[in-house]
Amino acid sequence: MTMKDSYGRKIQYLRLSVTDLCNYRCIYCMPESGVIKKRHGDMLSIEEMTGIVRAAHRLGVNKVRLTGGEPLVRRGIVSLCRNIKAIDNAIELGITTNGSLLAPMAGILKEARVDRLNISLDSLNPDTFSKITRGGDVRDVADGIKAAQNAGFDNIKINCVLLNGINDKELFEMISLTREHPVHVRFIELMPLGVAKEWDSSRFMTTASAEKYLQNAELLRIDGVARVYGFPGYKGTIGLICPMSHSFCPSCNKIRVTADGKLKPCLHSDQEIDLKGLSGEKLEQAIRDGIMQKPESHRFGLAGSATGRNMNEIGG
Ligand code: SAM
Ligand code: SF4
């Protein structure tokens, strides 16, 4: 079965935040002081997350992305991956990670049948990377990417959030990664959500800043929310994702669940449906309700998203 929302959109994609904790403190995502650790019992257990995926799958979800916070700091993450693939191996299972803890885990995630990895990397420059992540070492991420390639992940996406005045001089260098490496570099517009809501508008830039380097590239396809380009002879591709300059709402096929079990029908709304403690028909009905409550579109601009949460709680 496939479930449609009240605007006729097929909902097939679940983004599940497995923790709001993270070993980084990216300047646009988390407060410098980090987050107050919630009570263990208030967070979804691995069994509850598995139950939510099972119920969502019964309603037509066939693509699941585990995110966070940093999903690789969540104890039990590998078991969760195995559980999801045991529900149905055809579920496309992805993880979005900062990559810093990936090197020792890539092989085991491959064995657990994770299909895809998206790795966030906003700068190749060690100082800029450390500034953005508040202390991260870019070499850890590079090691993570290499380990993932060696483990057999062949469709790695590198997510780069556009930060004017911070990484704007590096876009050509990021694009050049695709010459020798079979990776898909995606430039993503910064959204005014959580801590980034307080940011000065001069920090925001559109994907047009990357497009200017793509004049000799070929537009290969429109892939969901991304426009995908490639240079002849290059091993990788480049994607532009523009939630600010173009609305994705008409083609939105997602629901999100936070690590404390709240289903968010829309990333930018403060509307939430509590799934914690539900099972069986009640859980399925709550997910159905959430899908039917998806708004037609969000209406935020630089004024900011209506959600009161930071991105580390929602998962992107
Ligand atoms: N820790 C993992 C990571 O960094 O990949 C997963 C969670 S993180 C919240 C998911 C994605 O959201 C990252 O690629 C991050 O760059 C992006 N992100 C966080 N805050 C954002 C914002 N305000 N606008 C756009 N993207 C944002
Ligand atoms: Fe952590 Fe990812 Fe947020 Fe950076 S973007 S603070 S790595 S959750």
Side-chain angles (χ1 to χ4, degrees):
M1 102 161 246
T2 308
M3 204 175 145
K4 286 188 181 167
D5 72 1
S6 35
Y7 299 94
R9 293 170 296 197
K10 280 188 194 165
I11 306 305
Q12 296 178 301
Y13 181 12
L14 167 65
R15 290 183 69 99
L16 177 59
S17 172
V18 298
T19 178
D20 58 353
L21 303 177
C22 185
N23 56 329
Y24 283 175
R25 298 277 180 277
C26 297
I27 49 176
Y28 53 82
C29 177
M30 265 208 184
E32 185 163 14
S33 52
V35 290
I36 297 164
K37 202 163 183 257
K38 297 195 179 112
R39 280 181 356 140
H40 183 68
D42 291 339
M43 309 308 275
L44 291 176
S45 65
I46 294 296
E47 292 68 31
E48 286 173 312
M49 290 183 204
T50 306
I52 288 171
V53 173
R54 189 177 295 112
H57 181 56
R58 275 199 295 267
L59 295 172
V61 164
N62 55 19
K63 182 173 166 183
V64 175
R65 175 158 296 277
L66 305 180
T67 173
E70 174 47 44
L72 301 190
V73 305
R74 177 66 165 86
R75 204 177 298 157
I77 182 75
V78 178
S79 305
L80 177 62
C81 294
R82 289 199 185 106
N83 293 353
I84 292 172
K85 288 306 247 185
I87 293 168
D88 183 351
N89 191 38
I91 294 176
E92 185 187 314
L93 176 60
I95 299 182
T96 297
T97 169
N98 63 31
S100 61
L101 306 169
L102 190 54
M105 291 183 74
I108 193 158
L109 292 173
K110 187 72 189 168
E111 273 167 33
R113 293 181 283 168
V114 173
D115 297 294
R116 289 169 179 274
L117 291 177
N118 288 9
I119 301 172
S120 301
L121 179 60
D122 298 331
S123 174
L124 299 170
N125 176 295
D127 293 335
T128 311
F129 183 84
S130 171
K131 181 179 160 193
I132 295 172
T133 55
R134 294 198 179 99
D137 186 335
V138 72
R139 288 171 301 187
D140 295 338
V141 184
D143 289 348
I145 296 172
K146 271 185 233 141
Q149 286 172 326
N150 290 339
F153 287 100
D154 55 5
N155 42 16
I156 295 173
K157 290 183 178 161
I158 307 278
N159 286 346
C160 174
V161 174
L162 296 165
L163 305 164
N164 200 23
I166 300 176
N167 65 5
D168 54 310
K169 302 285 185 291
E170 285 189 57
L171 307 189
F172 180 70
E173 209 184 327
M174 293 294 291
I175 289 170
S176 302
L177 279 180
T178 66
R179 188 198 303 260
E180 298 298 338
H181 302 281
V183 292
H184 179 55
V185 173
R186 309 198 304 170
F187 294 110
I188 303 173
E189 290 173 353
L190 176 69
M191 291 180 277
L193 185 155
V195 285
K197 215 159 145 177
E198 309 303 323
W199 277 29
D200 192 86
S201 59
S202 62
R203 287 282 182 228
F204 292 77
M205 59 181 180
T206 69
T207 50
S209 50
E211 218 164 359
K212 66 180 182 222
Y213 299 111
L214 299 174
Q215 276 158 10
N216 296 324
E218 202 184 324
L219 176 61
L220 301 174
R221 60 186 181 275
I222 312 277
D223 185 2
V225 296
R227 271 176 297 145
V228 180
Y229 294 82
F231 284 95
Y234 280 32
K235 291 187 178 151
T237 53
I238 303 117
L240 303 182
I241 305 189
C242 31
M244 295 305 293
S245 52
H246 291 90
S247 167
F248 299 147
C249 303
S251 59
C252 182
N253 65 348
K254 292 185 193 122
I255 49 172
R256 294 175 166 81
V257 174
T258 61
D260 56 355
K262 307 288 188 293
L263 185 154
K264 288 184 72 65
C266 171
L267 168 63
H268 297 293
S269 147
D270 59 1
Q271 184 187 19
E272 299 185 342
I273 292 140
D274 200 358
L275 304 182
K276 177 105 179 114
L278 301 182
S279 60
E281 179 48 36
K282 281 196 177 139
L283 175 58
E284 222 172 287
Q285 187 55 45
I287 298 175
R288 239 185 250 123
D289 291 346
I291 290 176
M292 293 319 284
Q293 285 176 37
K294 270 180 80 64
E296 185 174 14
S297 63
H298 63 71
R299 287 175 197 82
F300 80 99
L302 277 180
S305 175
T307 179
R309 289 187 184 257
N310 278 319
M311 200 61 126
N312 67 296
E313 295 179 90
I314 309 174

